[in-house]
Each structure stands twice: as C-alpha cells, then as structure tokens.
Amino acid sequence: MSRLSPPPPRPVSVPAGLRRLVIRGQLRQPLALTVADLRERWAQRRAEVVFDCATNGPQHHTFEGPLLREVIDAAGPAFDARRRKDRSRFLLSVTGGDGHHAVLSWAELDADFGDSPILLATALDGRALDEAGSQLVVPSDRCGARYISAITGIWVGACAVPGTCAVMDRP
C-alpha cells in the first residue's frame, strides 16, 4: 500500500550550479529544472512578503519567480481539467534540500478555486538563487513554515479514496 506523500526525504548534496528540482508523480511529462530554467521558461512574478513568526519577529522579503501552477501545468497533471472535482483531488508535496517538506492542494493553486500566487522563487531580495536552489513561496501564509528552501523535488498526485492515505501513484 502506498502512502499519501512520498517516502521521507533524504537531504541531498548537489554541487552548486547543478541544483535541479525534479517534478514527478501523476504527470504526462515529468520535469527536471534548474533555477535558470525557471527564470527563462516562465514569466517572473514579484511577491513582497512579511513573515510574522513568534521565533524571529517580522521578516520582510521580496521574491521573484514563476507561478508554481504554471510550472506544474507544463508537466501536465493527469487529471481531467474539464472536471473541477477531479482537479480538487490532487496534492503537491514539495521537498527541500534540508529534508523539510510541505503539502499543498491543487485547489490552492487553481484559478477556479483558491488562485493563490504561490511561487517557485528564482531570486530573493534581488539575489539570484541559482546556487542556493529555488524556494517555495506562499505569500498568503502569515508564518514562513511552508517556505521550502533549495527545492529538490515536487510530487504531484491524487488521493485514491477520500479519508484514506492511499494514493493512485507509487513513488
């Protein structure tokens, strides 16, 4: 029986400049992308955010990068886009180089649902992230817990049956 999310991530050590994030799962075209690919292939958006976490107080940052939705669209999620309820079953698990990960729903990203401008950042405060790796940026979050650094992978898939942890795709 497979699990809701991929196996626990292992920290990845990749030489600077060669960092790639792999997008896999229930997709028509899995992708392996560098920060340069993200910058060159998709329109860049800008998000000015404030994290207000109890541990560090308010943190102000400006991120630039493509919308996560547009990048995942290029990989071709294996749902029937004409059926709203089919799209709402899909989840994304984003893993960083330090082993942290966060789970998002496709409905958060989808223009017909939450339409959240979640980014795969290519720059932070004007500095390119080519060596550090892309970051997941959720501008609507008050605290930065879902901001994943040095993204190594994004898994896309659907829950097989509501209320279970089984998925239709095995990692």
Side-chain angles (χ1 to χ4, degrees), residues 67-74 106 109-111 115-118:
L67 291 173
L68 174 59
R69 175 183 63 235
E70 292 176 354
V71 176
I72 301 299
D73 273 343
W106 181 259
L109 311 174
D110 194 299
D115 198 21
S116 184
I118 297 171

Side-chain angles (χ1 to χ4, degrees), residues 85-109:
K85 290 185 179 182
D86 197 37
R87 293 179 283 160
S88 66
R89 297 180 310 119
F90 273 66
L91 304 172
L92 296 87
S93 178
V94 181
T95 305
D98 60 1
H100 284 90
H101 72 277
V103 176
L104 305 163
S105 70
W106 181 259
E108 287 180 81
L109 311 174

Side-chain angles (χ1 to χ4, degrees), residues 33-44 65-66 71 122 130:
L33 303 165
T34 64
V35 171
D37 295 330
L38 292 170
R39 187 180 307 104
E40 294 165 8
R41 293 176 57 181
W42 289 276
Q44 302 295 288
V71 176
T122 59
D130 294 77

Side-chain angles (χ1 to χ4, degrees), residues 115-167:
D115 198 21
S116 184
I118 297 171
L119 301 180
L120 290 176
T122 59
L124 165 61
D125 296 331
R127 292 183 316 262
L129 293 172
D130 294 77
E131 289 186 23
S134 182
Q135 289 190 19
L136 180 70
V137 178
V138 186
S140 60
D141 284 3
R142 185 181 66 84
C143 184
R146 292 197 296 176
Y147 285 62
I148 304 297
S149 299
I151 297 171
T152 58
I154 301 173
W155 174 87
V156 180
C159 280
V161 178
T164 70
C165 290
V167 294

Side-chain angles (χ1 to χ4, degrees), residues 14-30:
V14 179
L18 297 179
R19 289 191 186 273
R20 292 191 187 283
L21 67 93
V22 176
I23 303 174
R24 64 183 181 85
Q26 295 175 348
L27 303 166
R28 291 175 183 85
Q29 176 77 36

Side-chain angles (χ1 to χ4, degrees), residues 4-7 25 30-31 33 36 41 43 46 56 62 104 110 126 128 131 150 153:
L4 179 60
S5 62
L31 300 171
L33 303 165
R41 293 176 57 181
R46 183 181 182 97
N56 296 323
T62 302
L104 305 163
D110 194 299
E131 289 186 23

